[in-house]
Amino acid sequence: MTHFILYVLFICSCKKFSLKGLLECRLVEEADFRSTAELFAKKDDEKSLDSFIPKSESDFLEYAELISNKLRPFEVC
């Protein structure tokens, strides 16, 4: 929820409200996120739920696997 609020505030702070302006804002936001993730990410654990941003179908399948691995300890058998 907090991420969404920050995203809305970021979009509202953009000077241009055109599609091109919003796209530029989104690209800046993604670059900022990558920089922050690199700064605070663990070096030994590159693929984690916090640092992985899926973009393609295969990425989403890999993301689903990461989620299932994270939830596996909480399974009730």
Short mmCIF file of all heavy atoms in Angstrom, two decimals, residues 2-28:
data_model
loop_
_atom_site.label_atom_id
_atom_site.label_comp_id
_atom_site.label_asym_id
_atom_site.label_seq_id
_atom_site.Cartn_x
_atom_site.Cartn_y
_atom_site.Cartn_z
N THR A 2 1.91 1.24 0.80
CA THR A 2 2.79 2.41 0.87
C THR A 2 3.45 2.67 -0.47
O THR A 2 3.58 3.82 -0.88
CB THR A 2 3.87 2.19 1.95
OG1 THR A 2 3.22 1.89 3.18
CG2 THR A 2 4.73 3.41 2.12
N HIS A 3 3.85 1.59 -1.15
CA HIS A 3 4.49 1.74 -2.46
C HIS A 3 3.53 2.41 -3.43
O HIS A 3 3.93 3.28 -4.21
CB HIS A 3 4.94 0.38 -2.97
CG HIS A 3 5.63 0.44 -4.30
ND1 HIS A 3 6.77 1.17 -4.51
CD2 HIS A 3 5.33 -0.14 -5.48
CE1 HIS A 3 7.13 1.05 -5.77
NE2 HIS A 3 6.28 0.25 -6.38
N PHE A 4 2.26 2.02 -3.39
CA PHE A 4 1.26 2.62 -4.28
C PHE A 4 1.08 4.10 -3.99
O PHE A 4 1.02 4.91 -4.91
CB PHE A 4 -0.08 1.89 -4.13
CG PHE A 4 -1.18 2.50 -4.96
CD1 PHE A 4 -1.19 2.34 -6.34
CD2 PHE A 4 -2.18 3.25 -4.37
CE1 PHE A 4 -2.19 2.90 -7.10
CE2 PHE A 4 -3.18 3.82 -5.13
CZ PHE A 4 -3.18 3.64 -6.50
N ILE A 5 1.03 4.47 -2.72
CA ILE A 5 0.87 5.88 -2.35
C ILE A 5 2.07 6.69 -2.83
O ILE A 5 1.91 7.78 -3.38
CB ILE A 5 0.67 6.01 -0.82
CG1 ILE A 5 -0.67 5.39 -0.42
CG2 ILE A 5 0.75 7.47 -0.39
CD1 ILE A 5 -0.87 5.26 1.06
N LEU A 6 3.27 6.13 -2.63
CA LEU A 6 4.46 6.84 -3.10
C LEU A 6 4.45 6.97 -4.62
O LEU A 6 4.85 7.99 -5.16
CB LEU A 6 5.72 6.10 -2.64
CG LEU A 6 6.01 6.15 -1.15
CD1 LEU A 6 7.20 5.27 -0.82
CD2 LEU A 6 6.25 7.57 -0.69
N TYR A 7 3.97 5.94 -5.30
CA TYR A 7 3.89 5.98 -6.76
C TYR A 7 2.93 7.07 -7.21
O TYR A 7 3.23 7.84 -8.12
CB TYR A 7 3.46 4.62 -7.29
CG TYR A 7 3.32 4.57 -8.78
CD1 TYR A 7 4.45 4.64 -9.60
CD2 TYR A 7 2.08 4.46 -9.39
CE1 TYR A 7 4.33 4.60 -10.96
CE2 TYR A 7 1.96 4.43 -10.76
CZ TYR A 7 3.09 4.50 -11.54
OH TYR A 7 2.97 4.45 -12.89
N VAL A 8 1.77 7.17 -6.57
CA VAL A 8 0.78 8.20 -6.93
C VAL A 8 1.36 9.58 -6.67
O VAL A 8 1.21 10.48 -7.51
CB VAL A 8 -0.54 7.99 -6.17
CG1 VAL A 8 -1.47 9.17 -6.35
CG2 VAL A 8 -1.21 6.70 -6.63
N LEU A 9 2.02 9.76 -5.55
CA LEU A 9 2.63 11.06 -5.26
C LEU A 9 3.72 11.39 -6.27
O LEU A 9 3.86 12.54 -6.69
CB LEU A 9 3.22 11.06 -3.85
CG LEU A 9 2.20 11.05 -2.72
CD1 LEU A 9 2.91 10.90 -1.38
CD2 LEU A 9 1.35 12.30 -2.75
N PHE A 10 4.46 10.38 -6.69
CA PHE A 10 5.51 10.59 -7.68
C PHE A 10 4.89 11.00 -9.02
O PHE A 10 5.37 11.93 -9.66
CB PHE A 10 6.33 9.31 -7.85
CG PHE A 10 7.46 9.46 -8.83
CD1 PHE A 10 8.61 10.13 -8.46
CD2 PHE A 10 7.36 8.93 -10.09
CE1 PHE A 10 9.65 10.27 -9.35
CE2 PHE A 10 8.39 9.07 -10.99
CZ PHE A 10 9.54 9.75 -10.62
N ILE A 11 3.84 10.33 -9.43
CA ILE A 11 3.17 10.66 -10.69
C ILE A 11 2.61 12.08 -10.62
O ILE A 11 2.73 12.86 -11.56
CB ILE A 11 2.04 9.66 -11.01
CG1 ILE A 11 2.64 8.29 -11.34
CG2 ILE A 11 1.17 10.13 -12.15
CD1 ILE A 11 3.48 8.25 -12.58
N CYS A 12 2.01 12.43 -9.49
CA CYS A 12 1.43 13.77 -9.35
C CYS A 12 2.50 14.86 -9.35
O CYS A 12 2.22 16.00 -9.71
CB CYS A 12 0.59 13.86 -8.09
SG CYS A 12 -0.90 12.84 -8.17
N SER A 13 3.70 14.49 -8.95
CA SER A 13 4.76 15.50 -8.91
C SER A 13 5.37 15.76 -10.29
O SER A 13 6.13 16.70 -10.46
CB SER A 13 5.85 15.08 -7.93
OG SER A 13 6.53 13.94 -8.42
N CYS A 14 5.05 14.92 -11.26
CA CYS A 14 5.57 15.11 -12.61
C CYS A 14 4.96 16.36 -13.23
O CYS A 14 3.78 16.63 -13.07
CB CYS A 14 5.27 13.90 -13.49
SG CYS A 14 6.15 12.43 -12.97
N LYS A 15 5.77 17.09 -13.95
CA LYS A 15 5.28 18.32 -14.55
C LYS A 15 4.40 18.07 -15.75
O LYS A 15 3.49 18.81 -16.04
CB LYS A 15 6.47 19.19 -14.93
CG LYS A 15 7.21 19.69 -13.72
CD LYS A 15 8.38 20.58 -14.10
CE LYS A 15 9.00 21.07 -12.82
NZ LYS A 15 10.38 20.98 -12.74
N LYS A 16 4.68 17.00 -16.48
CA LYS A 16 3.90 16.68 -17.66
C LYS A 16 2.89 15.58 -17.31
O LYS A 16 3.23 14.61 -16.67
CB LYS A 16 4.80 16.17 -18.78
CG LYS A 16 5.83 17.16 -19.23
CD LYS A 16 6.72 16.51 -20.28
CE LYS A 16 7.85 17.44 -20.67
NZ LYS A 16 8.78 16.79 -21.57
N PHE A 17 1.66 15.75 -17.73
CA PHE A 17 0.66 14.72 -17.49
C PHE A 17 0.31 14.00 -18.78
O PHE A 17 -0.68 13.31 -18.87
CB PHE A 17 -0.60 15.32 -16.86
CG PHE A 17 -0.39 15.68 -15.42
CD1 PHE A 17 -0.20 16.99 -15.05
CD2 PHE A 17 -0.36 14.70 -14.45
CE1 PHE A 17 0.00 17.33 -13.72
CE2 PHE A 17 -0.16 15.03 -13.12
CZ PHE A 17 0.01 16.34 -12.76
N SER A 18 1.15 14.14 -19.79
CA SER A 18 0.93 13.44 -21.04
C SER A 18 1.43 12.00 -20.88
O SER A 18 2.11 11.66 -19.92
CB SER A 18 1.68 14.12 -22.18
OG SER A 18 3.07 14.03 -21.96
N LEU A 19 1.11 11.17 -21.83
CA LEU A 19 1.55 9.78 -21.81
C LEU A 19 3.07 9.71 -21.83
O LEU A 19 3.67 8.92 -21.10
CB LEU A 19 0.95 9.01 -22.99
CG LEU A 19 1.25 7.53 -23.05
CD1 LEU A 19 0.75 6.84 -21.79
CD2 LEU A 19 0.60 6.92 -24.27
N LYS A 20 3.69 10.55 -22.63
CA LYS A 20 5.15 10.57 -22.70
C LYS A 20 5.75 10.98 -21.35
O LYS A 20 6.72 10.39 -20.89
CB LYS A 20 5.60 11.55 -23.79
CG LYS A 20 7.09 11.59 -23.98
CD LYS A 20 7.50 12.56 -25.07
CE LYS A 20 9.00 12.64 -25.18
NZ LYS A 20 9.43 13.64 -26.15
N GLY A 21 5.16 11.98 -20.72
CA GLY A 21 5.64 12.43 -19.42
C GLY A 21 5.50 11.35 -18.36
O GLY A 21 6.40 11.14 -17.54
N LEU A 22 4.37 10.64 -18.37
CA LEU A 22 4.16 9.56 -17.40
C LEU A 22 5.13 8.42 -17.65
O LEU A 22 5.62 7.81 -16.71
CB LEU A 22 2.71 9.08 -17.46
CG LEU A 22 1.67 10.08 -16.98
CD1 LEU A 22 0.26 9.51 -17.18
CD2 LEU A 22 1.88 10.43 -15.52
N LEU A 23 5.41 8.12 -18.92
CA LEU A 23 6.37 7.08 -19.24
C LEU A 23 7.75 7.45 -18.74
O LEU A 23 8.47 6.63 -18.16
CB LEU A 23 6.39 6.82 -20.75
CG LEU A 23 7.39 5.77 -21.24
CD1 LEU A 23 7.09 4.42 -20.61
CD2 LEU A 23 7.35 5.68 -22.74
N GLU A 24 8.14 8.70 -18.95
CA GLU A 24 9.44 9.17 -18.47
C GLU A 24 9.51 9.06 -16.95
O GLU A 24 10.53 8.63 -16.40
CB GLU A 24 9.68 10.60 -18.91
CG GLU A 24 9.95 10.75 -20.39
CD GLU A 24 10.03 12.20 -20.84
OE1 GLU A 24 9.93 13.11 -19.98
OE2 GLU A 24 10.19 12.41 -22.05
N CYS A 25 8.44 9.42 -16.27
CA CYS A 25 8.40 9.32 -14.81
C CYS A 25 8.54 7.86 -14.37
O CYS A 25 9.24 7.56 -13.40
CB CYS A 25 7.11 9.90 -14.26
SG CYS A 25 7.01 11.68 -14.40
N ARG A 26 7.87 6.97 -15.07
CA ARG A 26 7.93 5.55 -14.73
C ARG A 26 9.35 5.01 -14.92
O ARG A 26 9.84 4.25 -14.10
CB ARG A 26 6.92 4.77 -15.59
CG ARG A 26 6.93 3.29 -15.37
CD ARG A 26 6.41 2.94 -14.01
NE ARG A 26 6.44 1.49 -13.87
CZ ARG A 26 6.37 0.87 -12.74
NH1 ARG A 26 6.21 1.54 -11.63
NH2 ARG A 26 6.42 -0.43 -12.69
N LEU A 27 10.01 5.43 -15.99
CA LEU A 27 11.38 4.98 -16.23
C LEU A 27 12.33 5.48 -15.15
O LEU A 27 13.21 4.76 -14.70
CB LEU A 27 11.85 5.43 -17.62
CG LEU A 27 11.15 4.77 -18.80
CD1 LEU A 27 11.60 5.41 -20.11
CD2 LEU A 27 11.39 3.28 -18.82
N VAL A 28 12.12 6.71 -14.73
CA VAL A 28 12.94 7.27 -13.64
C VAL A 28 12.69 6.50 -12.35
O VAL A 28 13.63 6.16 -11.62
CB VAL A 28 12.64 8.78 -13.45
CG1 VAL A 28 13.26 9.30 -12.17
CG2 VAL A 28 13.14 9.57 -14.64
#
